[in-house]
Amino acid sequence: MEDLIIGILEQGFVFSIMALGVYISYSILDFPDLSVDGTFPLGAAVAAVLLVAGVNPWLACLAALACGVVAGIITGLLHVKLGITDLLCGILMMTALYSINLRIMGRSNIALFDTATVFDILPAHPWSTVAVVAVLALLLKTALNWFFKTRTGMLVRAVGDSPQLVTSLGQDLRLYKVVGLALGNGLVALSGAVMAQVQGYADVNMGTGTIVMGLASVILGLGLFRRSRWIMASTRVIIGAVLYRALVALALQLGLKPEDLKL
């Protein structure tokens, strides 16, 4: 039972980082960004290659975050500069990233069983991985809350809620849409980098269905606690991600097979 709870919390907190990124695009920007199915394995691929090369795990995570930001910027530029619809932009970027991820890794998967990871910061213990990912998720949530209280963050929030307000303030609506997409995809890529270290490998197909998991987490968290105004939206998203993993674990316990998870 303890192993089951540890597994739920491990994956729940890792996916909560990804869900925070999806929350930015889906709830704040009102942008259906399907590119997260590509940026999740992008982060894993970048981190895996760097870890195998002996790079510090935290620097590898920062590099994955940076690559996700670049992918988000490209998605945004496809939309605001070329006039491609938001949905198609995500599909194009997601498709392109499959080839890019293969190029980065040089093969379809990379094992990380003998490499240093971010979890080496604590002594080996069944709960050490949970502690690291929980603290990381809470730190990112706190940083995100701070960002959205800044002038830039409030303008990013206004892009989805009231784009006319951004324009009336003499600000470039397109710029803040790109900033939001960059931030969201950066978080998704960081989540992929951490997940690769949790499971001990990176795979080019590990991002399949990421957008569904992210949306499920956001909808669960925001929906179940919609009347609890005292709970911040970012906190609700994290809770939603953990609940989603708990529901998946329950489904497996009731007899579903691992190949049914996407269903």
Side-chain angles (χ1 to χ4, degrees):
M1 185 64 180
E2 182 182 14
D3 290 342
L4 178 63
I5 295 174
I6 289 174
I8 290 171
L9 293 176
E10 276 181 3
Q11 297 209 359
F13 283 121
V14 173
F15 280 123
S16 72
I17 300 172
M18 176 270 295
L20 287 172
V22 173
Y23 166 72
I24 293 172
S25 60
Y26 173 73
S27 292
I28 293 180
L29 297 179
D30 194 22
F31 191 104
D33 185 14
L34 296 184
S35 63
V36 298
D37 274 22
T39 48
F40 187 81
L42 171 66
V46 171
V49 169
L50 293 177
L51 289 171
V52 170
V55 175
N56 181 281
W58 294 103
L59 291 178
C61 287
L62 286 176
L65 172 65
C67 289
V69 167
V70 171
I73 290 173
I74 296 174
T75 301
L77 292 178
L78 287 173
H79 177 61
V80 303
K81 291 296 186 181
L82 300 183
I84 301 174
T85 59
D86 48 13
L87 193 62
L88 184 55
C89 286
I91 294 172
L92 288 172
M93 197 61 204
M94 173 185 66
T95 306
L97 282 172
Y98 184 86
S99 295
I100 292 171
N101 293 339
L102 279 174
R103 285 272 187 158
I104 292 172
M105 292 195 294
R107 52 188 184 275
S108 60
N109 54 71
I110 296 177
L112 300 173
F113 298 116
D114 298 322
T115 60
T117 68
V118 294
F119 306 111
D120 295 336
I121 193 174
L122 293 179
H125 187 275
W127 287 89
S128 60
T129 302
V130 175
V132 172
V133 292
V135 170
L136 182 59
L138 291 175
L139 286 175
L140 289 169
K141 163 198 140 40
T142 302
L144 206 59
N145 291 340
W146 169 82
F147 171 74
F148 283 120
K149 291 178 181 178
T150 65
R151 181 176 182 275
T152 301
M154 287 188 283
L155 286 170
V156 170
R157 290 173 61 183
V159 168
D161 290 337
S162 180
Q164 296 83 4
L165 174 62
V166 179
T167 305
S168 67
L169 291 173
Q171 301 296 320
D172 189 349
L173 178 70
R174 300 174 300 175
L175 171 63
Y176 293 100
K177 186 171 289 188
V178 172
V179 169
L181 289 171
L183 181 58
N185 280 280
L187 289 173
V188 172
L190 177 60
S191 176
V194 177
M195 178 55 76
Q197 295 174 69
V198 168
Q199 61 189 16
Y201 68 91
D203 188 276
V204 72
N205 293 310
M206 65 188 292
T208 305
T210 299
I211 184 64
V212 175
M213 290 185 281
L215 288 175
S217 301
V218 171
I219 292 170
L220 269 175
L222 298 183
L224 290 177
F225 302 100
R226 62 182 179 274
R227 295 186 180 180
S228 303
R229 298 300 180 186
W230 55 275
I231 304 179
M232 300 187 73
S234 55
T235 303
R236 285 183 271 169
V237 170
I238 291 176
I239 295 173
V242 175
L243 285 175
Y244 175 80
R245 297 312 305 177
L247 290 172
V248 170
L250 176 62
L252 291 173
Q253 291 293 312
L254 292 176
L256 268 71
K257 297 180 180 179
E259 55 264 32
D260 295 328
L261 286 179
K262 300 304 179 187
L263 176 63

